[in-house]
Amino acid sequence: MPANETTQLKVLPREPGGSRATRRLRREGLVPGVIYGGGEEPVSFAVAARDLRIALASGGAVIDLTVEGSGSTPVVLKMLDRHPVNGETVHLDLLRVNLNVKIQSVVVLELEGVEDAPGVKEGGVLELVTRELNIEALPNEIPDTLTHHVGEMAIGDTLTLASITPPSGVELLDDPETVIASLTPPKLQLESDDEIEAETGRVGEDGEPAGAADAGSDDAAADGDGDSAE
């Protein structure tokens, strides 16, 4: 969905309650949430988990929210809490916005053309250092993600925020010198001395494996014992 489109979502008003009330809502397939901002009082609501999943999957930063019994209002997702085990949404905060006033948000940066980069083809490793970028834009102009092509990067190259070109109407807020990614040489797997000794045996100063000299001494001793016996 283009960034300037909105997603429709209908929710039910609810009375603020404690953990027992929220557990009951979740058993009924509802997710509790709060709307705030815009110079108005916070409003607690509950939304069907299925409807919420569809709305969030539709993309677009702005949600056209309708609370049953009142009109619609544009909002953006401010915070979403998930269950630590099953990943289901357990609570969300929505922020009222003015579509004509810029807001700050966080978007994910995706790198394209990684496999085509000469440095990667030579065995280098592309390390992504910064994945989320702080931006400012009108609510309807906030992109789902930002993309940047890295198909020309060579080993030793470093990509900074200054090289990222945002869409029209989007301002990057982080330091231009922020490191986004670097392409480093292949990492050599060097064995430690202990590992080498464990696999090959310690090599003596004369170049013979450990035990060779001892074996020779044992042979000599054996020969000597034989001579004395004679």
Side-chain angles (χ1 to χ4, degrees), residues 43 47 52 54 57 97 130 141 150 159 163 170 184 199-200 212 219-220:
V43 174
V47 58
L52 179 61
I54 294 174
V97 294
T130 304
E141 293 182 352
V150 294
L159 174 68
S163 300
V170 176
T184 59
E199 293 180 4
T200 64
D219 292 341

Side-chain angles (χ1 to χ4, degrees), residues 108-197:
V108 173
L109 176 67
E110 295 182 351
L111 301 182
E112 299 178 338
V114 174
E115 296 181 355
D116 297 328
V120 173
K121 291 182 177 180
E122 295 172 5
V125 178
L126 184 67
E127 297 182 349
L128 183 59
V129 179
T130 304
R131 181 171 175 79
E132 295 184 336
L133 303 180
N134 294 292
I135 68 166
E136 184 174 82
L138 292 174
N140 274 333
E141 293 182 352
I142 296 176
D144 293 336
T145 60
L146 293 177
T147 59
H148 182 77
H149 190 75
V150 294
E152 304 299 324
M153 288 187 69
I155 290 178
D157 286 351
T158 298
L159 174 68
T160 64
L161 185 65
S163 300
I164 307 298
T165 302
S168 176
V170 176
E171 179 184 357
L172 301 177
L173 300 179
D174 298 306
D175 187 337
E177 297 303 315
T178 300
V179 175
I180 302 299
S182 60
L183 217 166
T184 59
K187 295 181 179 179
L188 300 179
Q189 300 296 324
L190 299 177
E191 294 178 304
S192 66
D193 292 339
D194 292 340
E195 291 173 331
I196 295 175
E197 291 173 4

Side-chain angles (χ1 to χ4, degrees), residues 11-22:
V11 301
L12 302 172
R14 69 177 177 90
E15 291 295 327
S19 57
R20 179 178 298 179
T22 55

Side-chain angles (χ1 to χ4, degrees), residues 16 95 174 181 206 208 228:
L95 177 67
D174 298 306
D206 59 358
E208 294 182 356
S228 61

